[in-house]
Amino acid sequence: MKRVRQAGRMLSEPGVRRQSTLVAVLVVAGGLVAGTLLLLTLLHSALNEGLRETATEHVSSVAQAVAARGPAELTEDATAHLVGASTVVQVVDSGGGLVYSTATTGQVLSGVRPEPGHWVHEGATTGVLPPDGPYVVATGVSYAGADYVVLGVSSQAAQRHALGATARALGISTPLLVLLAGLATWWLTGRALRPVEEIRREVARIEYGRLTDRVPVPRTHDEVAALATTMNDMLARLEAAQATSRRFVSDAGHELRSPLATLAAAIELAERGDDNRAERTELNELMDREVTRMRRLVDDLLVLAKAEDRGLQFAHDDVDLDDVVETEARRLRAQSRHAVRAHIEPVRVTGDADRLTQVVRNLCDNAERAARSTLELSVRADRAPDGRPEAVLTVADDGAGIAPADRERVFGRFVRLDDARARSAGGSGLGLAIVEQIVSAHGGSVCVIDGPLAGACFEVRLPAQPVEAQETAVIR
């Protein structure tokens, strides 16, 4: 219980919330930073492209006018659309003298001098922010044998301002968005873990004697609700296991009480020192029977305990099931007061010969106690619905039979359908439970069916090996 409380305190600490919030903050921050850099890069590229196109268009229009009519024809009317524009257009002669300018400046703004027909672009970058210097577009033209250079000089201050404003806005909004994402994740994670904490507190409160309690199931129909349902299913299984364990201990103690009482009485008689040889022989036989009965009961209990603990361990040998049944039929004929019939076909399975012999013997002993006059054993080859070969073993008797309502309960531990039957004659009530465990461990199944003798009929189905040729069925 202390460990459960410690685990509860660990769960109640916001470790999961911290981790979830940290991951959310890192993911959102990383995404926003990457998105900011990408946005600024694309914006700079778009502004650069716009500046380039505008400057090139202005320079191209002036260059066409110079090439057609000469620089002397450039009038304010012809270049009125350029006045006040972000690009200053100048015409420079071959000697570097300023011939024309759209701005009131008395100096040439760039020393770029391309040859006629060539274009030069200078000053643009592909970084996040543009440089401080101007952007220059220049082309060379010729008119009347003279060469001229048309320059377009643009300031990049507007682009820097736009990019700077965008970067500042993103720099302010990004931390706010990261903080908002962290707070939202913290709140949502806490809300999602609240039902888990309720489940933990309820489980910590449930003790061994209160397995009837159940944890609350949220109405969200999500993973937490599935966890609560699974916990309730586990508690139901623990409750059933607890009831089975208590019943098992009670029944085992009741079964052992009778032979122990008999042995105690026999020891008391032996201590009296009676030298009557006949009585001493009878006493020894009684003690031997009771010791054998106790040994058989303990062995059966150990088999069932192993089956519950880690499963029955058995060999994987080739076993001729027909030989096992034939041997058991001969034993019954030698010891039983009833008629014993056997219908046997050759069939081979993979398993533990001793365990399978125990299955056949337990079924036969059960039939021997229930029969009125006749027992019938049968083994044959068959096929499962999916086509796999199977071995089918049946043990039938002409007794009172088993009601349909009891055909599953009969495989429980210490179950006797005839409560009036003496324990010494009726067995311990563990034989059929052991049969079910052994058959299940071999990958088979056992059930009660309607038999040919109007009494009980137990049918065992086991995976069989393929047989190339089956011998003709014989009545033995």
Side-chain angles (χ1 to χ4, degrees):
M1 184 60 66
K2 182 179 180 181
R3 292 182 178 179
V4 174
R5 292 195 180 98
Q6 290 176 348
R9 286 195 296 270
M10 292 174 63
L11 182 59
S12 63
E13 292 293 329
V16 176
R17 300 178 74 182
R18 286 175 178 170
Q19 294 178 10
S20 301
T21 303
L22 178 60
V23 171
V25 166
L26 292 177
V27 170
V28 172
L32 288 176
V33 170
T36 297
L37 294 176
L38 179 61
L39 176 61
L40 292 175
T41 301
L42 294 176
L43 180 59
H44 179 209
S45 177
L47 292 174
N48 263 350
E49 187 63 25
L51 183 63
R52 177 189 178 94
E53 291 179 356
T54 301
T56 301
E57 180 183 355
H58 291 170
V59 170
S60 178
S61 63
V62 173
Q64 291 175 3
V66 171
R69 298 183 298 274
E73 299 295 328
L74 292 176
T75 62
E76 292 183 1
D77 294 337
T79 59
H81 66 286
L82 299 177
V83 177
S86 61
T87 302
V88 177
V89 180
Q90 294 181 331
V91 180
V92 182
D93 60 19
S94 59
L98 181 62
V99 178
Y100 178 80
S101 177
T102 59
T104 57
T105 178
Q107 61 180 2
V108 179
L109 298 178
S110 176
V112 178
R113 300 292 185 270
E115 296 294 330
H118 291 80
W119 287 83
V120 173
H121 298 267
E122 190 177 82
T125 63
T126 57
V128 176
L129 291 176
D132 292 331
Y135 178 73
V136 179
V137 178
T139 184
V141 296
S142 297
Y143 177 76
D147 294 337
Y148 300 93
V149 174
V150 181
L151 298 172
V153 182
S154 301
S155 173
Q156 300 186 80
Q159 283 78 3
R160 289 183 61 85
H161 177 73
L163 288 169
T166 303
R168 285 190 296 273
L170 292 175
I172 295 174
S173 61
T174 296
L176 293 178
L177 290 174
V178 171
L179 178 61
L180 181 61
L183 293 176
T185 304
W186 181 270
W187 181 76
L188 289 174
T189 306
R191 182 179 181 182
L193 291 177
R194 192 176 301 120
V196 179
E197 173 62 17
E198 293 177 359
I199 293 173
R200 185 207 62 78
R201 285 198 299 265
E202 185 65 24
V203 172
R205 190 176 60 84
I206 296 175
E207 298 179 353
Y208 185 72
R210 299 176 53 187
L211 294 179
T212 55
D213 295 346
R214 296 294 182 265
V215 301
V217 179
R219 299 180 180 179
T220 53
H221 303 289
D222 56 3
E223 290 80 359
V224 178
L227 172 64
T229 302
T230 303
M231 292 293 296
N232 286 335
D233 292 341
M234 181 191 69
L235 290 172
R237 291 194 298 270
L238 289 175
E239 181 184 4
Q242 182 191 56
T244 301
S245 177
R246 288 176 175 175
R247 185 170 60 252
F248 184 81
V249 172
S250 175
D251 290 341
H254 193 66
E255 289 291 336
L256 290 171
R257 185 180 297 115
S258 177
L260 286 175
T262 303
L263 288 175
I267 293 173
E268 182 179 354
L269 291 176
E271 289 177 348
R272 294 177 182 177
D274 192 351
D275 292 334
N276 190 311
R277 186 178 184 85
E279 291 185 0
R280 183 172 295 278
T281 300
E282 183 180 356
L283 182 62
N284 290 339
E285 292 177 352
L286 174 63
M287 295 176 67
D288 183 66
R289 285 196 305 270
E290 294 302 318
V291 169
T292 300
R293 180 183 171 190
M294 289 180 62
R295 184 186 297 114
R296 185 181 300 113
L297 177 60
V298 171
D299 290 342
D300 290 346
L301 292 174
L302 288 176
V303 169
L304 293 175
K306 290 179 180 179
E308 279 191 349
D309 183 21
R310 60 184 181 277
L312 291 174
Q313 305 296 320
F314 57 90
H316 292 78
D317 301 325
D318 293 340
V319 179
D320 291 323
L321 191 59
D322 53 305
D323 290 345
V324 175
V325 176
E326 173 67 23
T327 301
E328 191 61 24
R330 287 199 299 267
R331 182 189 71 87
L332 281 175
R333 289 183 179 124
Q335 300 177 359
S336 176
R337 67 183 187 279
H338 304 311
V340 179
R341 300 203 303 253
H343 184 82
I344 300 174
E345 296 180 5
V347 59
R348 177 172 294 177
V349 299
T350 299
D352 191 311
D354 292 336
R355 293 296 187 188
L356 293 175
T357 299
Q358 187 177 8
V359 167
V360 178
R361 177 157 299 185
N362 285 2
L363 292 176
C364 289
D365 288 344
N366 185 78
E368 166 70 16
R369 289 190 293 268
R372 294 188 179 95
S373 62
T374 306
L375 304 177
E376 182 173 298
L377 283 68
S378 170
V379 61
R380 58 184 174 85
D382 198 1
R383 288 196 175 275
D386 59 0
R388 293 181 296 106
E390 283 187 330
V392 181
L393 164 69
T394 60
V395 178
D397 62 70
D398 61 349
I402 300 176
D406 296 327
R407 290 185 176 183
E408 291 186 6
R409 190 173 70 89
V410 73
F411 294 102
R413 298 171 183 183
F414 299 107
V415 172
R416 294 184 185 85
L417 300 182
D418 187 1
D419 294 331
R421 183 183 298 165
R423 292 183 180 270
S424 59
S428 64
L430 297 176
L432 294 180
I434 292 175
V435 167
E436 184 181 43
Q437 292 290 342
I438 295 175
V439 171
S440 297
H442 282 77
S445 63
V446 58
C447 62
V448 181
I449 62 174
D450 295 327
L453 301 180
C457 181
F458 290 85
E459 180 185 76
V460 176
R461 288 183 172 269
L462 296 169
Q465 298 181 5
V467 179
E468 297 296 334
Q470 294 285 356
E471 298 179 10
T472 304
V474 295
I475 303 296
R476 303 179 183 177

